[in-house]
Amino acid sequence: MREHDVFSADGTRIRLWRTDAEGPDVLLSPGLGAVPAVWPELPSARVHTWHHRGTLDSDRPADPSRVEVADHVADALAVLDDGGVERCVVMGWSMGVTVAAEMALRHPDRVTGLMLVTGAPGDAFAHVLGLPGVPAAVRRLLGVGGVTALKAAAPLLDAVLHRVPVPDVGGPLVGSLRRYLRHDWGWYFTLALALGRTPRLDLTGVTCPTTVLAGRYDFLASSDGVLGPVAALPQARVRVLPNTHFLPLEDPQVVVDELELLLDRADAVRRAVHEDVEGPLTSRSRPRA
């Protein structure tokens, strides 16, 4: 994995990281403030991603209001442009789903496939505490109120979490936990509020192959909120798995397998549109009539 800096459209310095694997390019829209080690290794793809503005090694924007979903999409485009990537599969996790979906809507020419993992495309707070009988308006109120309270308590969180002892043994995941605990929690929850208040996105215009993974026991992004926006998409593949919000950590092989299948589907569409294809489009295609 290699890291270096790029500058987004508004001049904000963004730290990106990418893997050296051979294979097609994939853009990862990460969970808010997530560190690289929480995402499974994807050996069949060259992954490009970044640290959200103001987190880890990325700068805050000069204008603190530049933390809306459009600003994160601009950061994603800067990452792709730096890597010389014209078009690729885009995958999002948690609140990164909102950014990935918005990118597919704003820049369909850059997105060949879309993978959404345990996250709602917009209106994220309406899908927390997905318990039967709890109306979306109540969930939204609880979500916004809870994050607002955490933002107010940020000085205390900084004082406590920045001093949590993390052992020097345990591999990269433990070291990543140390970096995660060192967030400026006031800024972290500022980002969360801005992204979480993004209105629900209408994905009916998305035509690329799409995969959605939802966790049956996910209390941060209920399965109805994850699945509802993609129900009518013509090329959507949907799986509800016995996992929580942290599916990439709990069952990384599912993520790897589903990404490989999505890459296969996206390549089949590309070849069907741009090439005179003989034989099956994918290994799972039915023979031509």
Side-chain angles (χ1 to χ4, degrees):
M1 185 185 78
R2 294 176 290 118
E3 297 191 18
H4 67 267
D5 296 335
V6 293
F7 289 90
S8 193
D10 66 346
T12 303
R13 184 186 63 82
I14 300 297
R15 175 62 61 88
L16 68 79
W17 59 269
R18 62 172 52 99
T19 63
D20 295 318
E22 295 292 332
D25 295 291
V26 171
L27 176 72
L28 168 61
S29 176
L32 185 58
V35 290
V38 304
W39 196 257
E41 184 178 352
L42 303 173
S44 58
R46 180 174 178 241
V47 180
H48 308 253
T49 187
W50 73 101
H51 299 310
H52 294 99
R53 40 184 57 205
T55 69
L56 300 170
D57 297 313
S58 292
D59 285 346
R60 295 188 189 185
D63 177 355
S65 69
R66 297 296 299 268
V67 291
E68 303 298 325
V69 64
D71 301 303
H72 297 292
V73 169
D75 297 344
L77 291 175
V79 170
L80 289 185
D81 291 344
D82 177 81
V85 180
E86 182 179 352
R87 307 172 72 238
C88 70
V89 165
V90 176
M91 59 194 310
W93 172 41
S94 189
M95 280 196 173
V97 163
T98 297
V99 178
E102 182 75 3
M103 184 170 174
L105 291 170
R106 286 176 176 255
H107 304 280
D109 57 315
R110 306 292 298 265
V111 181
T112 60
L114 189 62
M115 183 167 172
L116 310 178
V117 182
T118 59
D123 200 14
F125 292 129
H127 306 294
V128 299
L129 298 174
L131 300 174
V134 180
V138 174
R139 299 183 197 176
R140 191 180 296 111
L141 181 64
L142 291 171
V144 172
V147 174
T148 301
L150 287 169
K151 180 180 176 180
L156 177 60
L157 291 174
D158 288 344
V160 173
L161 296 180
H162 292 183
R163 291 172 173 77
V164 170
V166 179
D168 292 327
V169 296
L173 190 58
V174 173
S176 295
L177 175 62
R178 183 184 298 110
R179 294 183 72 191
Y180 186 79
L181 293 175
R182 300 298 191 271
H183 277 308
D184 178 331
W185 291 101
W187 181 254
Y188 181 94
F189 291 118
T190 295
L191 294 176
L193 284 169
L195 269 178
R197 285 171 166 154
T198 302
R200 176 168 166 150
L201 301 177
D202 180 0
L203 301 185
T204 54
V206 174
T207 59
C208 64
T210 301
T211 296
V212 181
L213 305 180
R216 185 174 296 122
Y217 308 112
D218 187 347
F219 292 105
L220 293 179
S222 61
S223 58
D224 61 328
V226 175
L227 304 180
V230 302
L233 294 185
Q235 297 199 66
R237 171 180 167 84
V238 174
R239 292 187 67 184
V240 180
L241 298 154
N243 293 94
T244 72
H245 193 68
F246 301 99
L247 187 155
L249 282 168
E250 297 164 346
D251 204 344
Q253 192 58 48
V254 167
V255 175
V256 172
D257 292 344
E258 288 294 334
L259 175 62
E260 290 178 349
L261 178 57
L262 179 59
L263 288 167
D264 194 23
R265 292 165 60 204
D267 185 61
V269 170
R270 179 191 62 79
R271 293 191 294 126
V273 171
H274 299 290
E275 300 177 12
D276 184 12
V277 180
E278 294 291 339
L281 289 172
T282 76
S283 59
R284 300 170 178 83
S285 296
R286 295 178 181 177
R288 291 178 181 270

